[in-house]
């Protein structure tokens, strides 16, 4: 079965380039003719994930696997980890610094948005070691 | 000079081409290929942005109308002028420019002030209502620049739903233009010639004009650059005469600051009361921001004015004078003309409620999709492309005739180019063959 796998690096505090990986992924999906509605959801999830690594995480990477029926997005980092996952998943909860808030981030909506936009969502984290977010998208999904 | 792609007015002159390939690299939709050093091929994805003309160091690429400007005195000649025309003669006021056009032989000069005002009113109203209805997603995108819309159709189809579903100002003007003119001059619609003078190459590409009404009503479109010398001459002659000998129509007197500002970056939103708006100009910037909107950024913005020309239409490829000079002159004029409104709000509101301003978006979208057919790749072809890239390990030298290695690999996989065209692969092969021979020589000795 044909699977296309790509990996992109994300660097801590590299604001300038945050979003580039998600843009590459988006363009890959467009070339393959994936439906715009699905591309939109993958792009939003990728970008929120990238931003979280840049802002809260450490160095990390984003891996995309494209299969004939589904897309898998895996975002991992070796940052500080999340002590209380249910709390982090709460809408509006954020530990973003003042500096980030001034730039328009830190609404505490990233993780909830990722969960909402993906067809499947899983997060695990170990304090002091890092965080993994795994999201799946079905290519036959009717979700808008 | 030969016309390459019949549907567009991108004219390519092989004799002037030096084969540098710069045009190919800047093309935002990768629509250009140069084979055998100078045979220029334009693919269907051309959106008519004019970047290739802008960067060509030898003047080999021109975006031009395919009809000469002659005014038939036996017909009623009408000309619709872009607001940008008024910026091209610094120090001259708009009425003098219109008088020059009349002297050239036009029976009626139409400028867009009122229609810009209508458009701005409608856009403002839609945005205000959208705060409650959420009919369209934020940020809404201006429908004005046709190149932006084509770019969205080709590269960002997921954003088509963000495009404000309103008619462009010139379309508002065209709806019953010929009937009105025939009534005014007492002639038959077929005896009317409608010209359009514009800084915008996308208006001279008639087949790809965004709406059927433009294709139907505008007979000929000319770049400002192709009428400039003639108009300049007539304006100069006028100056030496008594101005009163040329009666001025009332409509000419109603040109507003809104109209003058329109061609500047931010000129569209400046005439609207929308705080959460921004203006972006230039092809590369436009693409960057469309990418960002697709990532979900700028959702707190309500309206974005995109123009693919640098500094908006004042930097259009068919303009004549320097864009910053034009901007400076226009800014001076705006102070004189003010930003007031000419039309009655009550009347505009009624027109809005009657649906007068809305465009048939679904129809336009499906037409766009047909105009720019997509050629998708399979996962297997994508892997083949990666394999080819791995094999080439090139430097995007573009000797193969494609803008970069990835596009070349795509062309190969699609069967539109040959791996043999890659000079890096050929050189490496040569070097290896040489080594083999040397080694063979050594063993012999
Ligand atoms: N990769 C990560 N590493 C460490 N902490 C994280 C990571 N991702 C999220 N968090 C924690 O979870 C909180 C909530 O994340 P979420 O993405 O929902 O909001 P935010 O990033 O703070 O704000 P927004 O995404 O709206 O800009 C963060 O403030 C942070 O404390
Ligand atoms: S910016 Fe103006 S002149 Fe340039 S392509 Fe767009 S509408 Fe035409
Ligand atoms: Mg976040």
């Amino acid at each position: 079965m044909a699977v296309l796998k790509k990996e992109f690096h994300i660097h801590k505090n590299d604001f300038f380039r945050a979003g580039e990986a998600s843009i590459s992924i988006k363009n890959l999906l467009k070339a393959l003719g994936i439906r715009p509605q699905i591309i939109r959801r993958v792009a939003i999830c990728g970008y929120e994930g990238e931003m979280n690594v840049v802002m809260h995480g450490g160095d990390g990477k984003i891996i995309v696997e494209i299969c004939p029926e589904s897309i898998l997005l895996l975002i991992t980092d070796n940052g500080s980890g999340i002590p209380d996952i249910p709390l982090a998943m709460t809408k509006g909860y954020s530990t973003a610094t003042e500096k980030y808030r001034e730039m328009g981030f830190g609404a505490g909506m990233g993780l909830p948005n990722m969960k909402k936009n993906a067809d499947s969502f899983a997060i695990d984290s170990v304090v002091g070691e890092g965080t993994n977010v795994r999201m799946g998208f079905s290519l036959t999904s009717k979700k808008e | 000079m030969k016309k390459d792609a019949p549907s567009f007015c991108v004219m390519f002159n092989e004799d002037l081409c030096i084969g540098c390939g710069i045009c190919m690299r800047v093309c935002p939709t990768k629509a250009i290929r140069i084979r055998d050093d100078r045979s220029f091929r334009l693919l269907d994805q051309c959106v008519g942005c004019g970047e290739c003309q802008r960067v060509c160091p030898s003047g080999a690429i021109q975006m031009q109308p395919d009809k000469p400007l002659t005014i038939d005195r036996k017909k009623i000649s009408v000309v619709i002028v872009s607001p940008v025309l008024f910026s091209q003669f610094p120090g001259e006021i708009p009425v003098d420019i219109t008088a020059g056009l009349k002297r050239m032989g036009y029976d009626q000069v139409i400028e867009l002030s009122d229609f810009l005002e209508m458009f701005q009113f409608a856009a403002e109203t839609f945005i205000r209502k959208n705060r409650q209805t959420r009919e369209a997603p934020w940020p809404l995108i201006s429908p004005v620049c046709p190149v932006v819309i084509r770019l969205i159709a080709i590269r960002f189809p997921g954003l088509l739903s963000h495009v404000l579903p309103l008619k462009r100002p010139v379309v508002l003007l065209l709806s019953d233009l010929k009937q009105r003119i025939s009534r005014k001059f007492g002639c038959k619609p077929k005896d009317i010639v409608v010209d359009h003078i514009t800084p915008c190459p996308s208006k001279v590409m008639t087949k790809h004009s965004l709406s059927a009404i433009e294709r139907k009503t505008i007979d000929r479109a000319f770049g400002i650059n192709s009428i400039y010398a003639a108009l300049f001459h007539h304006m100069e002659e006028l100056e030496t005469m008594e101005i009163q000998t040329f009666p001025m129509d009332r409509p000419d007197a109603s040109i507003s600051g809104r109209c003058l500002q329109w061609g500047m970056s931010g000129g569209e939103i400046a005439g609207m009361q929308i705080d959460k708006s921004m203006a972006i100009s230039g092809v590369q910037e436009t693409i960057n921001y469309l990418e960002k909107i697709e990532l979900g950024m700028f959702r707190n913005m309500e309206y974005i004015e995109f123009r693919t020309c640098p500094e908006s239409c004042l930097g259009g490829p068919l303009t004549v004078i320097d864009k910053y000079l034009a901007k400076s002159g226009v800014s001076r004029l705006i102070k004189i003309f003010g930003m007031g409104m000419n039309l009655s709000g009550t009347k505009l509101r009624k027109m809005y409620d009657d649906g007068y301003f809305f465009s048939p978006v679904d129809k336009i979208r499906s037409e766009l999709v047909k105009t720019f057919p997509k050629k998708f790749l399979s996962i297997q072809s994508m892997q083949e492309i990666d394999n080819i890239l791995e094999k080439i390990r090139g430097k995007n030298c573009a000797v193969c005739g494609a803008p970069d290695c990835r596009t070349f690999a795509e062309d190969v996989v699609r069967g539109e180019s040959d791996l043999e065209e890659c000079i890096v692969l050929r050189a490496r092969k040569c070097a290896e063959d040489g080594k083999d021979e040397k080694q063979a020589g050594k063993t012999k000795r």
Side-chain angles (χ1 to χ4, degrees), chain A residues 2-4 6 19 22-23 26-28 30-33 36 40 43-44 47-48 66-68 113, chain B residues 155-158 288 290-292 294-297 299 375-380 382-383 386 406 414:
Chain A
V3 178
L4 192 68
K6 296 257 170 181
S22 306
I23 289 177
K26 194 158 65 88
N27 289 336
L28 195 67
K30 282 182 192 172
L32 288 166
R40 205 189 114 253
I44 291 174
Y47 176 64
E48 290 290 358
I66 306 163
C67 311
N113 258 338
Chain B
R155 288 190 51 177
F156 306 92
N288 292 348
L290 290 173
E291 295 277 16
K292 289 178 182 175
E294 244 183 359
L295 293 183
M297 295 165 78
R299 265 179 292 204
K375 299 178 284 181
F376 296 125
L377 292 159
S378 64
I379 293 182
Q380 284 90 336
M382 206 62 109
Q383 285 162 337
D386 284 344
R406 173 164 285 278
R414 290 203 165 100

Side-chain angles (χ1 to χ4, degrees), chain B residues 236-250:
Chain B
E236 264 187 337
E237 279 200 341
L238 273 178
E239 250 167 52
T240 62
M241 287 183 207
E242 286 235 22
I243 201 91
Q244 294 93 303
T245 53
F246 289 93
M248 287 175 245
D249 276 7
R250 267 198 41 75

Side-chain angles (χ1 to χ4, degrees), chain B residues 344-393:
Chain B
S344 122
T346 337
K347 208 170 147 195
L348 288 174
R349 219 160 295 129
K350 167 128 197 346
M351 286 166 89
Y352 185 95
D353 292 338
D354 291 346
Y356 186 82
F357 299 119
F358 287 85
S359 77
V361 253
D362 293 336
K363 210 175 119 228
I364 291 176
R365 275 173 210 163
S366 62
E367 250 178 59
L368 274 170
V369 172
K370 256 189 271 153
T371 315
F372 301 111
K374 285 277 150 46
K375 299 178 284 181
F376 296 125
L377 292 159
S378 64
I379 293 182
Q380 284 90 336
S381 338
M382 206 62 109
Q383 285 162 337
E384 271 175 64
I385 291 171
D386 284 344
N387 291 342
I388 293 177
L389 285 172
E390 182 58 33
K391 201 147 94 196
I392 300 177
R393 281 177 282 117

Side-chain angles (χ1 to χ4, degrees), chain B residues 203-215:
Chain B
K203 307 286 164 53
V204 294
M205 308 190 312
T206 35
K207 184 189 156 208
H208 285 241
S209 291
L210 279 186
S211 61
I213 185 123
E214 279 168 279
R215 287 194 292 266

